[in-house]
Amino acid sequence: MADKIDRFSLDQFPKMRLGGREFVKVSPRRILLTASGEDPSQDPEQVWIAYPPPDDQLEFPGHPELEDIGPFVTSGIASHDVDRGITEFRHGEWPGGFTAMQIKDFDDLDLYFQCMGVLHAHGWADGGAGPTAELLARLASIVGGEKIKALHANDPENAHLAIFELAAVHLTSPLSRVWYAANMLALYYIHNDDFRLGILVSEYRIKMRYEVFTLKHMELTEKNRENGAKGGQADRKAERHHTLNEIAQRRFREIAFASDGEGVRLAMRWAAEHDAKAEVPLFRFNGRPLSKKWYAEWLADFRLKARRVK
């Protein structure tokens, strides 16, 4: 929704940051009235929507490169197995492209066993893939036994999957791992909703592969934003200079007679060695190493202080 709304019309609404992203609190009715030129009245019903970042619509952010290794291809967080067998083979090599129909990622049996494994681990499914007595008792205490009987009467073959889907509403957090498992099975075997299933399967795989790194990055981004708002980058610069000065003093013989270029390379190597042992990298900004210009400025400052000491 947010990407279809004029960015400037959102600036009048309250904003907040969550997980490294920006959101605005708006009334859908007020947006419609404002867009139509009418005088918007105060609407008590308000929702948070994502504030759309600038987008030139040319490429994905970060511009990931495509890597092609046999039947396996990857580009950034996207990775797929590809069936090259239905692609014409010419001049001793495969063409660089393929169609989406050649992607072999989905296997319904693999999906079933993965999801059932999660349900077993949570004590929801018994050895026969049916709901455990404990799950049934907990669910009956919330929705009533008649509701569970109705699920069996409506679709005896898939009643156990309907029970897992209902349990995902009442007995776990939305978007948790067991929530995904129960709902992916229901989408495939009960609702035949391939579109929603594809979205959840893709999200599930991304969360399994990259969730830890994503959360750490979001946390680091949020801390950097907060530090920057408090003048933290100035403190960060002082900490970098102090740390590098200490290293240079301990290894003064190496840098004392080095040329400017050699001194910069030494400082960059020392910084990389320090960050390799640190829990949070010190000599990086926005995930990237500091520039050679930064190290050249540090070197000039360090040598000036060293001459003053002498």
Side-chain angles (χ1 to χ4, degrees):
M1 178 181 179
D3 58 348
K4 298 181 181 179
I5 300 174
D6 184 353
R7 288 176 54 86
F8 299 103
S9 70
L10 295 177
D11 290 335
Q12 61 184 298
F13 298 104
K15 295 184 178 67
M16 75 166 181
R17 293 189 66 85
L18 178 65
R21 296 186 62 189
E22 195 167 26
F23 294 80
V24 290
K25 191 173 186 179
V26 301
S27 158
R29 184 168 179 270
R30 287 190 66 193
I31 289 181
L32 293 175
L33 291 174
T34 302
S36 65
E38 300 179 45
D39 181 27
S41 60
Q42 184 65 34
D43 191 333
E45 182 183 354
Q46 295 184 325
V47 295
W48 288 103
I49 64 173
Y51 188 73
D55 181 12
D56 60 13
Q57 300 184 355
L58 295 176
E59 260 299 347
F60 286 116
H63 307 281
E65 295 293 328
L66 178 70
E67 295 183 31
D68 191 346
I69 306 173
F72 183 75
V73 296
T74 179
S75 175
I77 64 171
S79 59
H80 300 282
D81 288 324
V82 179
D83 182 5
R84 300 287 194 179
I86 60 176
T87 302
E88 190 173 357
F89 186 77
R90 288 187 178 182
H91 307 298
E93 61 182 18
W94 302 111
F98 54 86
T99 72
M101 291 299 294
Q102 292 170 256
I103 293 175
K104 302 189 302 178
D105 284 347
F106 184 75
D107 184 316
D108 54 349
L109 284 178
D110 180 59
L111 173 74
Y112 181 82
F113 287 119
Q114 281 197 46
C115 292
M116 289 306 301
V118 174
L119 296 175
H120 276 288
H122 281 264
W124 285 24
D126 58 24
T132 61
E134 180 185 0
L135 179 74
L136 289 172
R138 291 174 62 195
L139 198 54
S141 68
I142 298 172
V143 303
E146 293 302 317
K147 175 69 173 179
I148 296 175
K149 289 180 181 178
L151 295 177
H152 280 282
N154 182 55
D155 185 0
E157 182 180 356
N158 293 315
H160 62 301
L161 302 180
I163 289 172
F164 294 142
E165 182 184 30
L166 186 60
V169 176
H170 296 285
L171 301 178
T172 190
S173 300
L175 304 183
S176 62
R177 188 170 180 180
V178 68
W179 182 94
Y180 274 91
N183 279 282
M184 287 190 294
L185 289 176
L187 286 171
Y188 187 68
Y189 292 101
I190 299 177
H191 305 296
N192 300 312
D193 191 332
D194 292 342
F195 188 80
R196 283 186 176 85
L197 174 66
I199 292 173
L200 289 197
V201 169
S202 178
E203 283 184 353
Y204 183 86
R205 288 175 174 167
I206 289 174
K207 288 172 76 70
M208 289 298 296
R209 293 172 181 169
Y210 306 109
E211 188 83 318
V212 172
F213 306 104
T214 301
L215 292 176
K216 286 183 178 179
H217 173 74
M218 290 167 67
E219 181 182 0
L220 182 60
T221 300
E222 192 66 20
K223 286 182 178 178
N224 287 342
R225 185 193 68 81
E226 293 174 358
N227 288 338
K230 299 175 182 177
Q233 287 306 320
D235 295 338
R236 198 75 165 160
K237 180 179 179 181
E239 183 181 0
R240 288 169 182 147
H241 272 248
H242 177 74
T243 301
L244 209 49
N245 286 347
E246 287 189 338
I247 297 174
Q249 288 168 5
R250 293 197 305 267
R251 306 176 71 167
F252 189 76
R253 289 179 179 274
E254 297 179 48
I255 202 170
F257 302 102
S259 66
D260 290 346
E262 291 171 343
V264 167
R265 286 191 290 273
L266 277 173
M268 294 178 70
R269 192 182 75 209
W270 293 341
E273 291 172 352
H274 173 276
D275 280 357
K277 301 175 183 178
E279 184 176 349
V280 178
L282 178 62
F283 296 95
R284 300 180 75 86
F285 181 73
N286 285 341
R288 296 183 178 183
L290 299 177
S291 65
K292 289 184 178 180
K293 180 181 178 182
W294 187 93
Y295 287 100
E297 291 173 353
W298 166 82
L299 180 63
D301 181 73
F302 174 78
R303 285 178 167 168
L304 181 62
K305 291 177 178 178
R307 284 197 294 269
R308 287 174 180 171
V309 170
K310 291 182 179 181

